[in-house]
Amino acid sequence: MAGDEKQFEDLDAKRLGGWIDGNTQIAGPLESAEKFPGGQSNPTYRITCAGQRYVLRRKPFGKILPSAHAVEREFRLISALHPLGLPVAQPFALCQDEEVIGSPFYIMAMVEGRVFWDGALPDCAKEERAPIYHALVDTLAQLHAVDPEQAGLGDYGAPGNYFERQVGRWTKQYRASQTDDLPAVEQLIEFLPGTVPAQERTSIIHGDYRIDNLIYAPDAPDVRAILDWELSTLGDPLADFTYLAMNWALPRTRNNAQIGGLDLHELGIPSLEEITRRYCTATGRSSVPDMNWYFAYNLFRLVGILQGIKKRIIDGNASSKDAQAKAAMVEPLAAAALDFAKKAGA
């Protein structure tokens, strides 16, 4: 095996290289592993074997919440979607033996292309922006059109109302990692369960669908891969669409996916009304319901996720350098969620 231990950061190079040689069709030797910056869910690495690049995604080391960081589910999902032509990275192998590197992990293809971290697309020409956003919406509609049963994913999520079980799940996750008493969160926990909207459809949903979780082709508005499937399940497709729509509804405070308050017409970016019409046309809907309840729910779920990060900081096993900044967002996001809940009747 080439290289020294510095090339492998927090991975055991000898064990990992041996596992790859014995359990995959990937040609060795393992030469390096470099952790991608950012990301708070499952630590992700670019690994090189015999000059070819791949991606390794693992659970965090140490104690984690039940049902969180389920790389096994991610691997199962992309293994089902890849043969159907959905834009996901080609999966290679799953390792559930924690003895290899200290946690379960899987390896997939490295997809080359562009990631747009800033929803305003400042590095793109005006005429490029609408096609990029159209592809964003069309790819989501393509995912929601997949029949879970035909894809072999009929049991990928629990039956019943998705939002009802998710409100319960994120309430439990929040309680399991709670570090403070936040009145806004308590009001949301009281309001959301009793006002859950009816569910009309069931689809495979991504759970964190936004422009910076996609890889686009280097020179075209084509989506090559959807990333970060940790929160995927079966449920109401409006969960994904309204989560995406929040990027239009929330005011822009920094260079991220949020585009609320920007002059979208001047930028050449479709309005929320335009992307809603496009999604409805692609999925055979006449309209979508009032989104305030969904925005409140989605922000409440983010509160649960970020509270988990805050707890991992305290426990000493947060996975990225920006963990402190993300943890600090818990309280303002809870306040924003409550504002939307009040618009929905709270």
Side-chain angles (χ1 to χ4, degrees), residues 9-333:
E9 301 194 32
D10 51 4
L11 300 180
D12 186 315
K14 184 176 181 180
R15 284 180 176 271
L16 176 59
W19 186 88
I20 291 173
D21 289 342
N23 294 276
T24 77
Q25 300 300 312
I26 296 172
L30 173 64
E31 296 165 344
S32 65
E34 178 186 3
K35 192 174 184 181
F36 286 102
Q40 247 336 117
S41 52
N42 294 312
T44 306
Y45 305 75
R46 179 191 295 110
I47 65 172
T48 304
C49 296
Q52 296 296 312
R53 298 198 295 177
Y54 305 88
V55 172
L56 181 150
R57 193 157 157 86
R58 67 164 173 84
K59 289 188 179 185
F61 297 137
K63 183 179 179 181
I64 59 176
L65 295 174
S67 82
H69 310 282
V71 296
E72 302 90 344
R73 281 175 57 82
E74 291 183 36
F75 183 81
R76 178 188 173 192
L77 184 75
I78 64 173
S79 297
L81 294 182
H82 186 264
L84 301 180
L86 272 291
V88 297
Q90 180 183 356
F92 285 106
L94 169 70
C95 176
Q96 296 177 279
D97 181 0
E98 295 187 9
E99 296 299 316
V100 177
I101 64 169
S103 67
F105 66 91
Y106 69 91
I107 297 173
M108 58 184 166
M110 177 82 182
V111 178
E112 303 289 351
R114 297 179 292 173
V115 176
F116 298 116
W117 300 103
D118 188 336
L121 305 179
D123 297 326
C124 298
K126 181 176 180 179
E127 61 270 17
E128 293 180 281
R129 293 173 181 146
I132 288 169
Y133 270 92
H134 291 162
L136 171 70
V137 177
D138 294 347
T139 301
L140 182 61
Q142 182 186 4
L143 172 65
H144 292 167
V146 173
D147 184 320
E149 294 288 347
Q150 292 183 2
L153 296 167
D155 61 346
Y156 194 68
N161 186 292
Y162 166 80
F163 287 110
E164 183 176 3
R165 70 177 189 261
Q166 287 293 297
V167 168
R169 174 193 175 183
W170 290 108
T171 299
K172 289 177 183 176
Q173 294 280 63
Y174 176 81
R175 294 297 190 210
S177 57
Q178 186 173 356
T179 55
D180 305 282
D181 292 320
L182 301 179
V185 178
E186 299 306 321
Q187 291 180 64
L188 289 164
I189 289 173
E190 182 179 348
F191 168 72
L192 291 171
T195 52
V196 172
Q199 180 170 330
E200 298 178 357
R201 305 183 183 191
T202 299
S203 300
I204 299 164
I205 57 174
H206 179 273
D208 193 16
Y209 193 84
R210 58 181 196 262
I211 197 167
D212 52 326
N213 267 338
L214 304 182
I215 297 176
Y216 283 78
D219 54 0
D222 302 327
V223 177
R224 286 194 169 175
I226 308 170
L227 306 177
D228 290 354
W229 292 91
E230 182 196 349
L231 298 174
S232 61
T233 186
L234 299 187
D236 193 327
L238 287 176
D240 272 345
F241 179 74
T242 57
Y243 181 79
L244 176 62
M246 282 201 309
N247 289 300
W248 280 257
L250 293 175
R252 182 176 172 86
T253 56
R254 53 197 173 96
N255 296 337
N256 59 11
Q258 294 171 16
I259 53 176
L262 297 180
D263 187 338
L264 301 183
H265 178 74
E266 178 63 27
L267 290 169
I269 295 174
S271 67
L272 179 55
E273 292 73 22
E274 289 174 296
I275 68 138
T276 300
R277 285 196 300 270
R278 190 176 184 94
Y279 178 78
C280 287
T281 298
T283 55
R285 290 179 180 272
S286 58
S287 64
V288 298
D290 175 80
M291 290 194 254
N292 283 310
W293 188 95
Y294 298 92
F295 290 163
Y297 156 74
N298 277 308
L299 289 177
F300 171 71
R301 188 188 63 156
L302 284 177
V303 166
I305 294 169
L306 296 179
Q307 182 61 43
I309 294 170
K310 190 171 184 177
K311 184 66 161 59
R312 290 203 300 277
I313 291 172
I314 294 170
D315 292 344
N317 63 347
S319 71
S320 87
K321 295 178 181 177
D322 63 349
Q324 291 280 359
K326 288 181 178 292
M329 293 168 61
V330 169
E331 197 160 353
L333 278 178

